[in-house]
Amino acid sequence: MDDGTSQVESIVGAGWSGGIDAALADRATAALEAGSVLRLPLPFVLEPGETRIVRDHVLAGHRKNVSLGPRAQNVKGAVEDAGLRRVLASACGRYQRQTAELAQRLFPAYLAALEIGRTSFRPAEVAGRVQQSPRKDDTRLHIDAFPATPVHGRRVLRFFTNVNPDGVARHWQVGEPFEQLAATFLPRVPRYSMAVALALAALRVTKSVRSEYDHCMRHIHDIMKCDTAYQRAAARQDVHFAAGETWIVFSDQVVHAVLSGRCMFEQTIYLPVTAQRFPVRSPLRVLERLTGRALA
Ligand code: SIN
Ligand code: FE
């Protein structure tokens, strides 16, 4: 990649429903797997009864977002207001269904393998937020690797839609290709211990036993966020996602940071590496090449 950062690929002609040209789907899948951010002019329109979620105070305590599990009826992270919670659940549920349908049509190669994860609504302004710890600070360049939810090598595919009511863009930065990142940070990852992984699961720190892949990814996430020299100097490209735009990324692969913006929906979808067209580009295969052994 010319400037040393991930690319942004414009995808026009894909809606929440209707046909998608096979050539477009092909280009989208190839770009996604190459580590590009797909950008679509595709708004998520709130129904008249739902617009209060972008105006009212919806977050409980110090929560950053409201979320809905893939089979859940109720949202987490919202204030105690039954009416508001119903509206949040219905908007998140619709976002979940629409993104799942779009994923099936835009990436037909993945069809049977897509596993729907959580949906979130992120109403809070990112800029100026008090950060409790660098590891939780998403204004720093990072890859997504969940502390409590091991993925065992599966890909993290994320859909985002900016629903800012004042037409304000969400400001992201995207960084270097994963292969480059991994070569820099993998040597700094501490040795994996199965005994520690079992203990973390027994203590319910993790929801299942962390694989060596999850261990490496989480440590790369933490080490890069805490490396102030890297954060200052790493190559990056600013990307502004307008209100009414949707973007799709493998967020375990694309180095990213969010600098500002409020009101966005996000959908997480998991995908086995073997369902990819080019599994060699996956973080799992890249890390396995570098370590010379199976990691998940
Ligand atoms: C992240 O995954 O880093 C957060 C993205 C965002 O909230 O825009
Ligand atoms: Fe992230």
Side-chain angles (χ1 to χ4, degrees):
M1 311 203 176
D2 318 331
D3 62 350
T5 63
S6 289
Q7 308 294 296
V8 180
E9 182 91 5
S10 185
I11 300 292
V12 178
W16 297 123
S17 59
I20 292 178
D21 186 66
L24 181 66
D26 217 57
R27 179 164 66 83
T29 307
L32 182 77
E33 293 197 6
S36 291
V37 176
L38 308 185
R39 175 205 281 270
L40 295 75
L42 182 58
F44 178 63
V45 181
L46 294 175
E47 290 174 358
E50 293 171 345
T51 55
R52 57 182 292 207
I53 69 171
V54 295
R55 296 278 179 207
D56 293 359
H57 177 73
V58 303
L59 293 171
H62 297 290
R63 305 297 285 259
K64 289 200 289 191
N65 54 53
V66 169
S67 74
L68 182 75
R71 284 162 295 277
Q73 304 286 316
N74 301 314
V75 291
K76 286 188 180 164
V79 290
E80 291 291 338
D81 174 331
L84 181 61
R85 285 171 166 236
R86 248 192 321 276
V87 169
L88 285 164
S90 102
C92 287
R94 196 167 70 260
Y95 191 69
Q96 194 173 100
R97 288 190 298 279
Q98 292 192 354
T99 49
E101 277 171 34
L102 175 56
Q104 292 169 355
R105 290 179 303 108
L106 190 55
F107 312 118
Y110 303 162
L111 193 63
L114 297 165
E115 299 164 38
I116 307 303
R118 299 191 78 76
T119 314
S120 68
F121 171 57
R122 307 182 180 194
E125 173 58 56
V126 171
R129 194 147 65 187
V130 180
Q131 302 293 349
Q132 308 108 316
S133 94
R135 291 181 180 80
K136 289 187 184 162
D137 182 0
D138 288 338
T139 69
R140 297 173 187 231
L141 291 168
H142 66 283
I143 46 159
D144 287 347
F146 310 128
T149 315
V151 295
H152 303 281
R154 287 179 305 163
R155 305 303 314 273
V156 179
L157 176 60
R158 284 188 144 171
F159 284 64
F160 303 92
T161 304
N162 183 355
V163 294
N164 187 290
D166 306 310
V168 178
R170 197 170 187 92
H171 179 188
W172 268 38
Q173 290 180 333
V174 295
E176 64 184 327
F178 185 83
E179 288 83 349
Q180 233 170 272
L181 175 85
T184 306
F185 288 98
L186 188 61
R188 291 163 60 180
V189 171
R191 266 174 83 117
Y192 174 70
S193 154
M194 178 57 108
V196 170
L198 288 167
L200 289 173
L203 293 166
R204 304 254 191 280
V205 174
T206 57
K207 290 180 188 145
S208 62
V209 178
R210 229 181 226 184
S211 63
E212 186 167 2
Y213 171 73
D214 292 289
H215 167 87
C216 292
M217 290 293 280
R218 185 60 194 176
H219 278 283
I220 291 172
H221 168 277
D222 289 355
I223 296 167
M224 68 191 288
K225 272 188 175 172
C226 294
D227 185 333
T228 47
Y230 178 80
Q231 291 297 327
R232 199 172 43 243
R236 75 200 71 190
Q237 179 190 345
D238 288 278
V239 190
H240 298 268
F241 297 105
E245 274 191 312
T246 292
W247 60 108
I248 309 171
V249 288
F250 272 130
S251 66
D252 52 359
Q253 174 178 6
V254 174
V255 174
H256 63 282
V258 57
L259 300 193
S260 68
R262 65 176 292 270
C263 293
M264 179 188 75
F265 278 89
E266 170 270 330
Q267 177 64 48
T268 301
I269 299 180
Y270 299 99
L271 182 77
V273 165
T274 48
Q276 282 190 242
R277 185 129 38 101
F278 307 106
V280 292
R281 305 297 302 266
S282 66
L284 176 64
R285 297 291 180 246
V286 169
L287 295 178
E288 288 184 336
R289 264 200 310 283
L290 289 169
T291 56
R293 59 179 181 276
L295 299 177

